[in-house]
């Protein structure tokens, strides 16, 4: 096996880790903002609900995506990288 | 035959997504579910501290902004009631925490005996509930108040609210006995089996505290529920009634699950039947996360303020209230699944050792504390 595909697997894992960490950090930031602004109160308020609604939707979409989609996407990327690494270079 | 590359990649993508969704979220969200089920003190204390803080911060109707003054008032009253119920449950399970929560319990109970808390009902009935106790007319939401005061009295038999509790329950007994079906209207022309369940639960609880035998009233109401308001196919409870007692709305999980909690104070068998309905007929699960279908089979709707949002047939309130049902039935697996869902959408955060659910607000946090610590038979 040549060095290049092995690096590709490693690079894929590192890229995925970086993306996941970034999303986790963004999620933590949004949760903190929501906690400090009493999100649910603002969501229910007739005035100014737009911004809170955006924050709430963004938070829930990010949370669901991070938990239910990202793990599978990372797994897919890594499996594909491994498959590429095993494929003989010609 | 060679499988096209596109099909292979799609199959691999789907497989990876299913593996990821099956294995990861259940180990990340709601990890404290088992601790809640085991009555872990530190776990309960984290949320109880946050609920107590909110009680001491004076939650009123002005704290809510639903756009409807009645709902704002109901939510403020519900927050006080659930705060008293939740904190007393924690204090009864862990007596060493009683002093820690006594001031918050007293603050919430104090608001429940003050007519100023019930402006939403005064607007509907023309009189405040406490000022018109002897009028024996309506105010069917008072079962919530009586149950909270009764729980306080179980914790502190010498509470200053004991006399008010006696007067309130006496008035509720009179109102139930005055109607052939025991109906006490919540608002003029509106009656809800769930609210009546709170009244019956409070009357039975008061009977245990004071030694007065209320078994005949409880048995009569249980037979009325089984004969008229529990859907024989699903076991769900109809959500609302016409003044003559005929069903007005469909059988729904949010009312069924909360009524099951209230009936657990009066009749364990009926509470078990309601719990079984939501947990066996209404329960659904995906990737280790549980939910409860709001409408009984063959019924449909979009929910309302009581159910919260209904997504894919599953309601927020039905799912949250059913946590207590799973706990009472000792169904650890279902309990854990429901708590995971509550944590997924409730988004718990920890600050200074206190835990609260970001999307819950004062009412949601108080409800979750009460459901997560519901007393077992």
């Amino acid at each position: 096996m040549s060095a290049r595909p092995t690096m590709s697997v490693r690079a894929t894992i590192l890229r995925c880790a970086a993306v996941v960490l970034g999303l986790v950090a963004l999620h933590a930031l949004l949760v903190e903002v929501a906690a400090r602004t009493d999100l649910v109160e603002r969501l229910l308020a007739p005035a100014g609900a737009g911004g809170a609604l955006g924050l709430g939707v963004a938070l829930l979409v990010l949370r669901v995506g991070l938990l239910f989609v990202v793990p599978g996407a990372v797994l897919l990327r890594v499996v594909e990288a491994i498959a590429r690494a095993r494929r003989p270079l010609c | 035959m060679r499988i096209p590359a596109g099909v292979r990649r799609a199959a691999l993508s789907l497989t990876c997504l299913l593996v990821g969704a099956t294995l990861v979220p259940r180990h990340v969200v709601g990890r404290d579910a088992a601790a809640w089920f085991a009555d872990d003190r530190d776990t309960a204390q984290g949320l109880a501290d946050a609920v107590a803080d909110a009680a001491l911060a004076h939650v009123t109707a002005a704290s809510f902004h639903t756009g409807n003054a009645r709902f704002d008032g109901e939510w403020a009253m519900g927050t006080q009631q659930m705060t008293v119920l939740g904190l007393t449950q924690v204090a009864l399970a862990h007596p060493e925490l009683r002093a820690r929560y006594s001031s918050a319990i007293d603050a919430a109970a104090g608001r429940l005996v003050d007519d100023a808390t019930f402006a939403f009902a005064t607007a509907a009935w023309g009189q405040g509930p406490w000022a018109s106790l002897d009028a024996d007319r309506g105010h069917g939401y008072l079962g919530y108040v009586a149950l909270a005061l009764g729980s306080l009295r179980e914790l502190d038999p010498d509470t200053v609210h004991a006399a008010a509790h006696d007067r309130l329950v006496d008035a509720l007994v009179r109102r139930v006995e005055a109607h052939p079906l025991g109906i006490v209207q919540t608002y003029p022309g509106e009656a809800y089996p769930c609210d009546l369940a709170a009244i019956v639960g409070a009357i039975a609880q008061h009977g245990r505290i004071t030694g007065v035998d209320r078994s005949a009233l409880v048995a009569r109401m249980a037979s009325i529920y089984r004969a008229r308001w529990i859907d024989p196919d699903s076991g769900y409870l109809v959500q609302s009634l016409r003044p003559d007692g005929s069903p007005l709305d469909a059988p729904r999980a949010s009312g069924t699950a909360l009524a099951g909690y209230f009936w657990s104070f009066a009749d364990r068998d009926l509470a078990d039947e309601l719990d079984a309905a939501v947990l066996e007929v209404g329960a659904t699960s995906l990737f280790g996360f549980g939910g409860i279908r709001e409408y009984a089979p063959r019924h449909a709707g979009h929910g309302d303020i009581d159910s919260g949002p209904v997504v894919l047939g599953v309601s927020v309130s039905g799912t949250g209230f059913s946590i207590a049902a799973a706990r009472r039935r000792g169904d650890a697996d279902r309990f854990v699944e429901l708590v995971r869902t509550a944590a997924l959408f409730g988004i718990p955060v920890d600050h200074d050792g206190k835990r609260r659910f970001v999307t819950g607000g004062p009412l949601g946090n108080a409800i979750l504390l009460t459901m997560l610590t519901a007393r077992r038979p």
Side-chain angles (χ1 to χ4, degrees):
Chain A
M1 186 181 289
S2 68
R4 205 182 72 186
T6 307
M7 284 299 290
S8 175
V9 172
R10 189 180 300 145
T12 299
I13 292 173
L14 287 174
R15 269 201 304 272
C16 288
V19 170
V20 170
L21 283 175
L23 290 173
V24 168
L26 179 60
H27 175 265
L29 178 67
L30 289 179
V31 168
E32 190 64 24
V33 171
R36 288 181 186 278
T37 54
D38 288 327
L39 174 66
V40 70
E41 298 304 315
R42 291 178 185 277
L43 276 174
L44 293 170
L53 187 63
L55 173 61
V57 170
L59 181 53
L60 285 178
V61 168
L62 178 60
R63 189 169 173 81
V64 171
L66 196 51
L67 285 164
F68 291 92
V69 179
V70 168
V74 169
L75 182 61
L76 176 64
R77 290 284 184 186
V78 173
V79 167
E80 286 180 332
I82 292 171
R84 277 198 305 274
R86 285 173 168 249
R87 200 176 300 147
L89 293 172
C90 26
Chain B
M1 188 182 75
R2 188 171 174 79
I3 301 171
V7 174
R8 268 186 288 145
R9 187 160 199 282
L12 178 63
S13 301
L14 186 62
T15 303
C16 287
L17 283 173
L18 287 175
V19 169
T22 303
L23 296 181
V24 176
R26 68 173 65 212
H27 295 296
V28 176
V29 177
R31 282 176 298 175
D32 58 357
W36 278 112
F37 195 75
D39 282 326
D40 177 67
R41 192 191 75 168
D42 292 342
T43 304
Q45 187 176 320
L47 180 56
D49 281 358
V51 170
D53 283 352
L56 293 170
H58 199 63
V59 175
T60 67
S63 306
F64 300 98
H65 309 281
T66 64
N68 180 307
R70 176 178 291 181
F71 294 146
D72 289 347
E74 283 184 353
W75 286 25
M77 181 199 73
T79 301
Q80 315 302 345
Q81 182 226 13
M82 288 293 173
T83 295
V84 173
L85 288 173
L87 292 179
T88 54
Q89 284 170 182
V90 172
L92 287 167
H94 308 286
E96 67 275 19
L97 295 177
R98 178 177 161 175
R100 187 182 186 94
Y101 300 124
S102 62
S103 56
I105 293 171
D106 286 344
R111 271 170 232 131
L112 288 174
V113 296
D114 181 357
D115 263 347
T117 302
F118 302 95
F120 66 99
T122 305
W125 288 103
Q127 281 184 297
W130 289 101
S132 61
L133 267 191
D134 296 333
D136 288 340
R137 193 168 71 101
H139 295 281
Y141 57 85
L142 281 173
Y144 294 74
V145 178
L147 205 54
L149 295 180
S151 293
L152 167 58
R153 206 162 165 189
E154 286 181 284
L155 185 69
D156 176 13
D158 299 322
T159 174
V160 295
H161 302 303
H165 181 224
D166 288 338
R167 286 181 57 226
L168 175 57
V169 172
D170 286 347
L172 292 174
V173 169
R174 290 195 303 273
R175 292 174 203 192
V176 169
E177 290 181 338
H179 191 283
L181 296 178
I183 292 175
V184 182
Q185 294 182 22
T186 298
Y187 301 112
E190 297 181 36
Y192 302 90
C194 181
D195 295 0
L196 293 176
I199 291 175
V200 179
I203 290 171
Q205 176 196 50
H206 181 266
R208 279 194 303 278
I209 293 169
T210 58
V212 177
D213 180 13
R214 304 289 192 192
S215 57
L217 182 149
V218 171
R220 173 181 160 241
M221 290 304 296
S223 68
I224 291 170
Y225 268 69
R226 289 190 176 100
R228 292 175 175 269
W229 301 329
I230 293 178
D231 176 35
D233 295 330
S234 64
Y236 272 37
L237 187 63
V238 296
Q239 190 82 351
S240 62
L241 306 172
R242 294 186 180 88
D244 65 359
S246 59
L248 180 61
D249 195 358
R252 289 171 49 184
S254 49
T256 305
L258 186 56
Y261 173 80
F262 293 145
W263 267 105
S264 72
F265 288 82
D267 183 326
R268 287 178 187 167
D269 291 338
L270 184 50
D272 283 347
E273 291 169 30
L274 297 171
D275 291 349
V278 291
L279 295 178
E280 293 174 10
V281 177
T284 182
S285 176
L286 185 65
F287 300 130
F289 288 73
I292 303 295
R293 293 184 196 89
E294 175 64 10
Y295 288 87
R298 291 188 294 282
H299 294 270
H302 301 291
D304 55 19
I305 189 88
D306 291 330
S307 64
V310 176
V311 180
L312 301 176
V314 171
S315 74
V316 170
S317 297
T319 300
F321 292 141
S322 295
I323 289 172
R327 194 177 144 83
R328 280 195 306 277
R329 278 168 63 93
D331 188 342
D333 292 341
R334 190 67 71 191
F335 179 88
V336 168
E337 287 189 341
L338 294 172
V339 172
R340 281 189 191 130
T341 303
L344 175 63
F345 294 105
I347 313 179
V349 292
D350 295 311
H351 279 291
D352 303 327
K354 299 170 185 175
R355 164 163 290 204
R356 71 185 178 96
F357 292 87
V358 169
T359 61
L363 177 59
N365 279 281
I367 288 174
L368 277 173
L369 177 66
T370 302
M371 299 301 126
L372 287 163
T373 59
R375 281 180 267 180
R376 294 184 169 98

